[in-house]
Amino acid sequence: MGKRPFMIIIVLVFISIAAWVVWHFYPTDIQHSFQLAIDQTESIQFVKERAAETVVNDTIERQVKNQL
């Protein structure tokens, strides 16, 4: 075996590493879209939690006022 197959393997490994670095550090539009969807879902969940908390607090306040 000559040095040529070994050099081809090394070049392919470097190309693979470079592709991974680009994929990891330079996100594509699809990755941005997924992140945007996740952020929107989290903000909607936060609003739902705050609304539920407000309803519970109002209910407790009304019950306390009714008992007095």
Side-chain angles (χ1 to χ4, degrees):
M1 278 180 81
K3 292 183 179 182
R4 192 164 185 91
F6 184 67
M7 285 298 263
I8 291 173
I9 291 173
I10 290 176
V11 168
L12 289 175
V13 167
F14 281 129
I15 290 172
S16 299
I17 291 171
W20 179 85
V21 167
V22 168
W23 171 258
H24 186 72
F25 291 107
Y26 300 101
T28 62
D29 289 339
I30 292 174
Q31 289 173 317
H32 284 299
S33 298
F34 285 145
Q35 187 61 46
L36 180 61
I38 290 170
D39 292 343
Q40 288 176 346
T41 303
E42 288 175 352
S43 66
I44 290 170
Q45 184 64 29
F46 175 74
V47 169
K48 286 180 180 178
E49 288 173 2
R50 295 292 294 168
E53 183 179 322
T54 302
V55 169
V56 169
N57 287 342
D58 289 346
T59 304
I60 290 171
E61 286 177 13
R62 272 188 267 123
Q63 288 178 353
V64 167
K65 286 180 183 177
N66 288 340
Q67 289 179 354
L68 295 177

